[in-house]
Amino acid sequence: MSGALRYFRLYAQLARYTLVRELSFRGNFLVKVSVEVLWLGILLAFYRVVFSKTSVIADWSEPQYLFFVGCYFAMNGLLETLFLENCNEFAELVRKGDLDFLLLRPIDEQFLITCRRVDWSTAPNVLMGVAVMGLSLVNLDWAFDPMRVAVFLLVFGCGVMLAYSFMVLLTATGVWLVRNQSMMELWWLFSSLTRYPREIYLRVSWAEPIGLFFTFIVPFLLVVNVPAESMVKMLDWRLVGFTLLATAVSLWVSRWFFRRALRSYRSASS
C-alpha cells in the first residue's frame, strides 16, 4: 500500500509540474484547446447531417450514437492526456541516449517512461466527452441504473487499459527501430477504428473479417464499443467478461514485451 501511495504522490507531482510548464505558454494552451473544441463541433455537425437522412446507423439511434461519440471523445482525450505524448517521445529518448537517465532512476521504468508528463491541453476533451454523453442520456430519457453505471465505469477503465497496452507495444518497438514514426502512425489507424461502432464492420461481408479480427484477436474495437453499449444498449455480459479477460491478457503481454525491449536496449555509453 505504501508503494502505491508513493507512486500516486509522484504522479501528482509530475502532473503539477507539467501543468505549471503548460501554463507558462497560455496562448499555445488556449489554441490547442480551441482546436479540440472545433474538432468536436465538426464531428457533431457531421453526424447531425448523417442522421438527418436516416434514423439509425447499424442499430444505433441518434441519441445512442451521440453517447458513443461522447464516449469516444472522452476516451481518446484521456489517452492523449495521460500517455500519448510520452509514448511518442520514446524513440527520441532511444536515439539521443536520454533513456539512460530515466533507467537509472529508482522507480519502475514503464511507469516513468509512459506517465512522466500530462498533456493538459487535451484534458478538456474528457470533460467535453462527458458533457456529450450526459446530453445523449437526457435525450434518451435514461433512468438512473446503479448497476449499469458501475459496469460502464469498469469497462471504460478496461478500454483505457486496452488502448494503453497497444500503445506500449508500439512504443517498445522504438528500441529496435529507433525512428518508429511509421509504427506510431498505426496508433492513429487503431484509434480511427474505435470511432465507429463495431456493427458497421459486421454488417458488410467483405468487412466482417476485419470486425471479427479487431474484436477477438486484436480487441481494439472493444475499447469504446463495450462501454457505450453497456450504458445505452443491451448489456451483454459475455462481451463484458471477454473485455475483462482481454484487458488482463493485453496488460501482461505489453508489460512482458516492454521489459523484453528494455533488455535489448544498448545505452548511449555502450
Side-chain angles (χ1 to χ4, degrees):
M1 189 66 181
S2 60
L5 185 60
R6 172 173 172 254
Y7 276 86
F8 178 78
R9 288 175 175 171
L10 175 60
Y11 190 75
Q13 290 299 318
L14 291 171
R16 179 178 176 274
Y17 167 74
T18 51
L19 178 61
V20 171
R21 205 176 72 162
E22 189 77 55
L23 292 179
S24 299
F25 304 93
R26 294 180 179 85
N28 180 65
F29 178 80
L30 292 175
V31 168
K32 290 170 72 175
V33 172
S34 300
V35 169
E36 297 297 337
V37 173
L38 180 62
W39 166 235
L40 177 59
I42 292 173
L43 202 61
L44 294 177
F46 170 76
Y47 287 119
R48 182 76 279 277
V49 172
V50 171
F51 276 104
S52 69
K53 305 299 181 182
T54 183
S55 59
V56 294
I57 295 179
D59 293 334
W60 290 74
S61 66
E62 184 174 3
Q64 289 174 334
Y65 206 99
L66 185 65
F67 187 90
F68 182 93
V69 172
C71 189
Y72 161 78
F73 213 77
M75 178 80 69
N76 208 46
L78 195 60
L79 292 168
E80 290 183 6
T81 300
L82 300 180
F83 309 120
L84 187 60
E85 182 181 359
N86 299 313
C87 292
N88 271 334
E89 291 181 352
F90 181 73
E92 283 298 296
L93 293 176
V94 174
R95 188 175 67 85
K96 295 179 178 179
D98 293 339
L99 182 59
D100 294 5
F101 300 107
L102 297 182
L103 296 180
L104 290 173
R105 307 289 172 84
I107 196 169
D108 183 81
E109 300 91 345
Q110 185 175 331
F111 170 82
L112 188 58
I113 289 169
T114 61
C115 302
R116 70 188 184 281
R117 292 181 183 173
V118 176
D119 186 359
W120 288 101
S121 64
T122 55
N125 291 6
V126 182
L127 300 178
M128 289 188 289
V130 171
V132 171
M133 286 190 284
L135 178 62
S136 72
L137 292 178
V138 171
N139 292 337
L140 284 167
D141 294 325
W142 186 80
F144 180 74
D145 185 341
M147 185 185 71
R148 276 187 178 267
V149 173
V151 172
F152 169 77
L153 293 175
L154 175 63
V155 291
F156 187 89
C158 287
V160 172
M161 290 297 98
L162 266 174
Y164 170 73
S165 299
F166 292 122
M167 200 181 292
V168 168
L169 288 171
L170 293 175
T171 298
T173 61
V175 170
W176 296 288
L177 300 179
V178 182
R179 286 187 176 273
N180 70 337
Q181 284 87 349
S182 59
M183 290 297 293
M184 289 308 297
E185 285 174 6
L186 285 174
W187 166 253
W188 298 111
L189 171 62
F190 286 144
S191 64
S192 66
L193 283 174
T194 65
R195 194 184 303 170
Y196 310 104
R198 64 189 183 92
E199 291 89 346
I200 289 178
Y201 305 99
L202 302 178
R203 292 296 182 89
V204 183
S205 57
W206 64 266
E208 185 175 1
I210 298 175
L212 293 175
F213 179 81
F214 285 105
T215 298
F216 298 107
I217 307 301
V218 181
F220 211 76
L221 284 179
L222 302 178
V223 170
V224 178
N225 275 267
V226 177
E229 287 180 12
S230 67
M231 197 68 162
V232 296
K233 298 189 76 177
M234 183 180 296
L235 191 55
D236 188 339
W237 289 106
R238 292 175 299 178
L239 200 56
V240 170
F242 180 74
T243 302
L244 295 174
L245 176 63
T247 301
V249 172
S250 298
L251 284 173
W252 182 85
V253 170
S254 63
R255 175 73 170 176
W256 173 84
F257 187 74
F258 190 81
R259 295 183 72 84
R260 172 72 180 81
L262 289 184
R263 286 197 297 270
S264 300
Y265 170 68
R266 304 189 69 178
S267 70
S269 60
S270 63

